[in-house]
Amino acid sequence: MNLLARRVVIVTGKGGVGKTTVASAIALAAAERGRKVALCETQGSRRVPDLFDRPSKGYKLTEVHPGLSTLSITSDQAIEDYILQQVKVRALYKLAFKNRVMGPFMRAVPGLHDLVQLGKVWDLERLRDAGEPTWDLVVVDAPATGHGLTMLKSPQSMMDLTVAGPFHDNAKLIRDLVVDAQRTALVLVSLPEEMPVNETIELYERLEGFRAQVALSVLNEVHPTVIGHPDTWPRAREHLAGRAELAEAVRFADRAHVREVAQATARRRLADALPCALAELPFLFHRDLRLRDLKGLATALDPWLEA
Amino acid sequence: MARVLICAGSGGVGKTTTAAALSVALARRGLKVAVLTIDPARRLADSLDIGDIGNEARRVPLPDAHLDAIMLDQKATFDDVVQRFAPDPETRARILDNHYYRYVSTRLAGTHEYMAMEKLYDLWASGSYDVVVLDTPPARHALDFLQAPDKMAGLMDEGVMHWLTLPRNALGFRVLERGSTALVGVFRRLIGERTMSDIAEFFHLFHQLWAGFNERSKKARSLLSSADTRLLLVTTPAPAARAEAQAFLDAIEAAGMPFGGFLVNRVVPSPTAPPPAREAFGDPPAAMDAGTWDALVEAVREAPAHQERLATATGRYLDALRLEAGDAPLWRVPELDREVHDLAGLTVIADHLSPAIDELGF
């Protein structure tokens, strides 16, 4: 379950649950422990630099915090890298990119745009400085659920598609990294609400060959307890019903109660369905997420890095 | 002419539920309504109480209302397109059997959005409805729905198909021929002979129905900018909402599409009364110990303050959205006490959407 002992941590979950925030907090927590961390956004998303109050340099790795660098992977640029660095046929590269037609042509290859983004991650993982890994940990802010799964499976899909040849051999190297539970961990992010938890459990079930890699699930935006006493509250509510001067306060209290019950249910369902550690992050009342908040979240996740 | 409402928005904002509630509200006003949903979790089918929902319209059991629900099956929709435009049964069968077609029709980026548009056009052109409501595919960004079809159209573009089919019919393309043959050769080496021939065969066959396909997708696109269409951005008071709204407004303005307004879900209401005094609570219910009762009374007295904190935290994002919206309408749907599971729940939201429907001129 030790995230810090892995080489790659891939963060996924339903859209809108805070994958980018969690990926950033994990990366920051690892960096605060002195690790050299590369944090990759996928599909051209560029939200991380902003969290650190730095301008984005897109595909170019840029340090946003001591020990923490980030980049935004786009499939177009990753395809170029893939051809140039991994297939290592310069003539082919020239042919491909001096030629306007090649772009759409490459996009026509099934699953290539997903594969090359993982290819870039693989590339960062194997980078060495004087024999030592350049990056101790590569954290990936992966696409949401369905697409995230497609991306994880893209190396195998490419291998099935091509059967042999350079793409096949290269996809195999990437596949070997992604399916290796010693080197790659998955983190599933969820919210303490019914639908996101359903989707997280469904995603876990669909992960099949990757289940062993799920090292941590994160319940994000957990609200503080206001009411407590989940079993007793309904009786108190009944008792107070019909009292006009209390109606609004009781309604808000009940709302808080419903949320607390939903949170407890979410916690229990995730713990039952996913045989991994479950971390929780608090709902932030000042959600204009600043570095100070992110540090708070990183501190909250720190115990789980080596859990 | 049927009117069209398109609900766009990023993942997790309640887009599917909003589209369904809008449809319920419209149908209750006596309009014939179709709602096309993309919800992969099939939760909508449950809340609409129609059991199995599929690519064909199913009537929603709403008393005295005409509401059909359709769940997009992108593969079946693409198959229909092939069916419609293939010049002969043999071409049709070969496309449907082609390995690469299976990829294009199920997993190629943009196909989902493209087929949603195709199905929308189909429902609109059927003449059976007064309004068609579209719930757009799950997306990271609200803009994906507007941009994805272009990506797919780019791939299907005639120019690319020319290149791919050139080795077979290269007459008159002497200069290009050498380059393209080399390209195809390189490709064959990279992705394997079988895949290459699947791709080449697919484009070769598809070429024959391109004209019909293209013609129809142009019509579908023009439906998006028709005067009878409104795009709605479904959103929530969250940090990213303002930037998203800005990008969305810019994009639809650039594309000449008519904007309807913002539908903001999960608006947290502020307390209107001060917290009640301790004395107002009276005695505990029978058989509840005094300690628990005291704790609960204090909790109830604190609940409005907690509610206010929540309202303030999210209200700032609502203000920012309001600013971004300018003159455009912005409708609020309060956060619900319970999750929506059935038609009754949808009806509650439908009531909140009433002002939106009025303002949209229904």
Side-chain angles (χ1 to χ4, degrees):
Chain A
M1 291 295 153
N2 189 337
L3 289 184
L4 288 179
R6 301 318 215 291
R7 303 281 304 130
V8 177
V9 173
I10 298 174
V11 181
T12 184
K14 183 174 156 66
V17 298
K19 285 182 297 294
T20 305
T21 305
V22 171
S24 302
I26 290 173
L28 181 57
E32 298 269 286
R33 286 211 189 189
R35 303 299 204 281
K36 289 171 292 176
V37 184
L39 172 56
C40 311
E41 288 187 86
T42 52
Q43 297 180 287
S45 180
R46 294 175 170 215
R47 290 173 51 206
V48 169
D50 198 42
L51 295 180
F52 291 88
D53 262 326
R54 299 291 171 89
S56 173
K57 289 189 184 160
Y59 195 63
K60 193 176 173 313
L61 262 169
T62 171
E63 186 167 86
V64 290
H65 191 78
L68 172 56
S69 295
T70 185
L71 84 164
S72 162
I73 302 179
T74 66
S75 53
D76 284 354
Q77 282 161 308
I79 282 176
E80 192 169 327
D81 259 11
Y82 191 77
I83 301 288
L84 184 61
Q85 294 181 21
Q86 298 172 22
V87 182
K88 293 198 166 102
V89 185
R90 186 160 283 274
L92 168 61
Y93 167 74
K94 279 191 177 156
L95 188 61
F97 294 99
K98 302 300 171 210
N99 190 317
R100 286 183 298 114
V101 174
M102 200 65 177
F105 205 117
M106 296 298 276
R107 277 196 284 281
V109 178
L112 184 64
H113 58 284
D114 285 327
L115 174 66
V116 292
Q117 297 189 62
L118 277 185
K120 180 67 182 178
V121 171
W122 174 80
D123 216 36
L124 291 168
E125 189 276 336
R126 75 197 178 113
L127 214 59
R128 295 290 183 274
D129 281 338
E132 288 299 306
T134 307
W135 305 106
D136 296 317
L137 196 65
V138 182
V139 180
V140 184
D141 177 16
T145 320
H147 191 180
L149 193 62
T150 304
M151 184 178 276
L152 280 174
K153 291 181 175 173
S154 64
Q156 186 62 53
S157 305
M158 182 60 74
M159 289 167 66
D160 295 344
L161 189 74
T162 50
V163 188
F167 270 31
H168 178 275
D169 298 346
N170 215 264
K172 185 174 183 309
L173 291 172
I174 299 170
R175 199 263 330 247
D176 291 348
L177 170 65
V178 177
V179 301
D180 182 353
Q182 301 297 313
R183 291 192 289 163
T184 300
L186 291 177
V187 173
L188 306 187
V189 186
S190 195
L191 290 179
E193 294 165 27
E194 185 186 345
M195 288 300 296
V197 170
N198 288 350
E199 198 165 318
T200 306
I201 293 173
E202 195 181 313
L203 170 63
Y204 177 75
E205 281 159 5
R206 286 167 65 203
L207 277 171
E208 294 159 3
F210 294 94
R211 282 187 208 161
Q213 270 128 295
V214 179
L216 181 68
S217 63
V218 178
L219 207 47
N220 194 21
E221 297 188 7
V222 174
H223 287 253
T225 298
V226 181
I227 304 300
H229 306 91
D231 300 328
T232 324
W233 165 251
R235 269 170 58 216
R237 186 186 57 208
E238 293 309 311
H239 183 65
L240 297 171
R243 305 270 298 276
E245 75 279 19
L246 298 178
E248 191 183 68
V250 169
R251 208 177 113 239
F252 288 144
D254 194 47
R255 201 179 271 256
H257 159 78
V258 168
R259 189 168 49 235
E260 285 161 24
V261 170
Q263 290 188 165
T265 307
R267 200 176 281 136
R268 195 192 65 241
R269 290 183 63 210
L270 283 180
D272 286 351
L274 275 58
C276 64
L278 174 64
E280 295 189 17
L281 292 178
F283 176 84
L284 299 176
F285 284 87
H286 301 286
R287 292 174 65 198
D288 232 356
L289 203 62
R290 305 257 53 102
L291 184 55
R292 176 173 46 85
D293 302 312
L294 202 57
K295 280 186 174 170
L297 298 180
T299 307
L301 281 176
D302 185 78
W304 304 100
L305 293 182
E306 287 184 308
Chain B
M1 275 303 170
R3 294 185 59 182
V4 174
L5 289 178
I6 298 171
C7 299
S10 51
V13 296
K15 195 167 42 177
T16 300
T17 304
T18 300
L22 264 177
S23 312
V24 167
L26 290 161
R28 286 166 79 210
R29 293 192 178 195
L31 295 162
K32 285 186 277 182
V33 184
V35 57
L36 173 57
T37 119
I38 324 285
D39 177 28
R42 296 186 179 259
R43 184 176 52 112
L44 187 76
D46 293 344
S47 59
L48 286 173
D49 202 13
I50 48 172
D52 214 15
I53 181 172
N55 215 32
E56 301 306 321
R58 292 289 299 266
R59 183 61 51 85
V60 177
L62 195 64
D64 306 318
H66 184 122
L67 172 58
D68 287 345
I70 302 96
M71 172 149 133
L72 179 73
D73 177 334
Q74 61 170 340
K75 171 96 170 60
T77 305
F78 211 144
D79 289 354
D80 286 347
V81 172
V82 172
Q83 186 92 13
R84 186 177 296 126
F85 296 113
D88 54 73
E90 197 214 329
T91 307
R92 183 177 70 216
R94 280 175 67 197
I95 291 180
L96 295 180
D97 283 346
N98 180 282
H99 273 275
Y100 187 64
Y101 171 70
R102 282 182 207 158
Y103 167 77
V104 167
S105 59
T106 56
R107 283 173 39 212
L108 180 68
T111 306
H112 206 169
E113 289 80 0
Y114 207 108
M115 288 305 138
M117 211 142 74
E118 164 64 33
K119 192 75 190 174
L120 171 70
Y121 182 74
D122 198 37
L123 290 166
W124 177 82
S126 74
S128 312
Y129 302 104
D130 299 318
V131 198
V132 184
V133 180
L134 172 69
D135 159 36
T136 57
R140 190 159 178 141
H141 305 297
L143 288 170
D144 288 357
F145 177 71
L146 301 177
Q147 292 163 348
D150 286 338
K151 286 188 198 158
M152 181 170 158
L155 172 62
M156 295 295 166
D157 187 82
E158 233 171 337
V160 181
M161 284 198 282
H162 258 304
W163 277 88
L164 282 157
T165 52
L166 261 177
R168 290 177 183 216
N169 30 315
L171 287 173
F173 291 90
R174 299 184 66 85
V175 182
L176 300 179
E177 188 189 357
R178 216 176 301 129
S180 79
T181 308
L183 269 179
V184 171
V186 160
F187 241 70
R188 189 167 276 128
R189 253 185 54 214
L190 286 175
I191 65 175
E193 176 66 36
R194 207 195 71 196
T195 310
M196 187 64 219
S197 54
D198 280 343
I199 294 179
E201 188 199 46
F202 171 77
F203 280 102
H204 183 70
L205 292 168
F206 204 78
H207 192 65
Q208 300 177 52
L209 44 97
W210 174 250
F213 182 89
N214 200 25
E215 179 70 19
R216 182 154 169 110
S217 61
K218 272 186 188 146
K219 282 188 193 157
R221 287 306 297 264
S222 71
L223 182 57
L224 290 191
S225 25
S226 137
D228 291 325
T229 297
R230 290 290 178 275
L231 278 110
L232 304 172
L233 183 65
V234 184
T235 183
T236 58
R242 183 177 184 178
E244 180 183 70
Q246 190 177 25
F248 189 80
L249 287 179
D250 288 351
I252 68 169
E253 191 186 355
M257 294 172 188
F259 184 59
F262 295 92
L263 282 168
V264 190
N265 282 331
R266 294 188 203 145
V267 173
V268 181
S270 283
T272 55
R278 176 70 184 82
E279 296 70 40
F281 286 80
D283 296 327
M288 185 179 291
D289 70 83
T292 308
W293 173 246
D294 284 343
L296 286 174
V297 166
E298 281 318 303
V300 174
R301 296 182 63 219
E302 275 166 32
H306 185 73
Q307 179 73 17
E308 184 56 42
R309 285 178 75 203
L310 268 177
T312 309
T314 54
R316 299 195 296 158
Y317 304 116
L318 189 64
D319 295 344
L321 260 177
R322 175 81 271 173
L323 219 74
E324 197 56 54
D327 295 335
L330 182 148
W331 303 290
R332 298 144 197 244
V333 178
E335 189 186 43
L336 301 168
D337 292 337
R338 300 283 194 276
E339 286 199 50
V340 175
H341 288 292
D342 50 21
L343 269 173
L346 282 179
T347 307
V348 171
I349 309 179
D351 290 340
H352 288 297
L353 292 172
S354 220
I357 288 169
D358 290 338
E359 213 167 331
L360 287 165
F362 286 98

